[in-house]
Amino acid sequence: PYFSRNWIESQKIGITKGAYHFFLPNKSAKIQAQNFINHVTLKKGDMPPVLDVEASYGANTRTVKAGVKEWLEIIEKHYKIRPIIYTNIEFYNTKLGVDFYDYPLWIAHYKQLNQPRIARDWLFWQHSESGQIKGIKSKLDFNVFNGDSTAFNEILIK
């Protein structure tokens, strides 16, 4: 409910902003992509779109892969930048795998100390879902970017 407000306010204070879509493999990928496009206007300096896909909701692996691929292709064509896939290690290995190796990966994996245990390159690593920051009462996701500030600027929309 606060997406529009947060989107505007983060831009006002100079925070790099981005948006993700929580994917439902048992629903139309085309309709989901159009919903994202209808609500998210990206411009120079924003992060690429992110597809959050973590569960199959009863869809078989072939259906999951086809839907994810369709969403990614529609979004890439519209925004003219390759989207990032956000998922966890188990889901990536069992449902996506090498078919999505060309897409940047934001991987959630909480049981490692130094880096996620995945046999491919990753862009972001969500290493905790229970982080705390002074002034915020709820627990937060903590993420690490796999690079320096120059590399981070390179992934942003030009």
Side-chain angles (χ1 to χ4, degrees), residues 110 126-143:
Y110 308 133
Q126 186 175 100
H127 59 87
S128 175
E129 61 183 345
S130 57
Q132 294 187 300
I133 295 177
K134 186 177 180 179
I136 298 176
K137 293 180 182 176
S138 60
K139 297 193 181 217
L140 304 169
D141 296 336
F142 277 6
N143 298 276

Side-chain angles (χ1 to χ4, degrees), residues 93-151:
N93 288 336
T94 61
K95 300 292 184 190
L96 300 177
V98 296
D99 293 342
F100 295 90
Y101 198 80
D102 290 340
Y103 286 90
L105 182 63
W106 190 331
I107 196 73
H109 190 226
Y110 308 133
K111 297 179 181 171
Q112 287 294 110
L113 296 177
N114 298 319
Q115 67 181 32
R117 191 177 338 141
I118 190 161
R120 64 153 286 180
D121 292 338
W122 51 273
L123 195 57
F124 292 95
W125 169 33
Q126 186 175 100
H127 59 87
S128 175
E129 61 183 345
S130 57
Q132 294 187 300
I133 295 177
K134 186 177 180 179
I136 298 176
K137 293 180 182 176
S138 60
K139 297 193 181 217
L140 304 169
D141 296 336
F142 277 6
N143 298 276
V144 174
F145 176 70
N146 192 15
D148 59 17
S149 59
T150 301

Side-chain angles (χ1 to χ4, degrees), residues 30-99:
K30 185 176 182 179
I31 291 172
Q32 291 182 74
Q34 191 58 55
N35 181 62
F36 187 90
I37 291 165
N38 291 344
H39 289 92
V40 180
T41 301
L42 297 174
K43 59 185 183 179
K44 182 179 177 183
D46 290 339
M47 287 188 54
V50 177
L51 181 65
D52 179 342
V53 55
E54 304 176 50
S56 60
Y57 296 97
N60 63 38
T61 300
R62 196 171 98 207
T63 300
V64 170
K65 286 182 178 185
V68 166
K69 188 73 168 164
E70 183 178 13
W71 192 95
L72 292 168
E73 288 174 351
I74 291 168
I75 294 299
E76 184 170 359
K77 183 178 179 183
H78 178 79
Y79 292 105
K80 302 192 179 7
I81 191 165
R82 186 154 281 211
I84 298 168
I85 295 173
Y86 169 90
T87 193
N88 60 65
I89 294 227
E90 181 182 351
F91 193 86
Y92 185 85
N93 288 336
T94 61
K95 300 292 184 190
L96 300 177
V98 296
D99 293 342

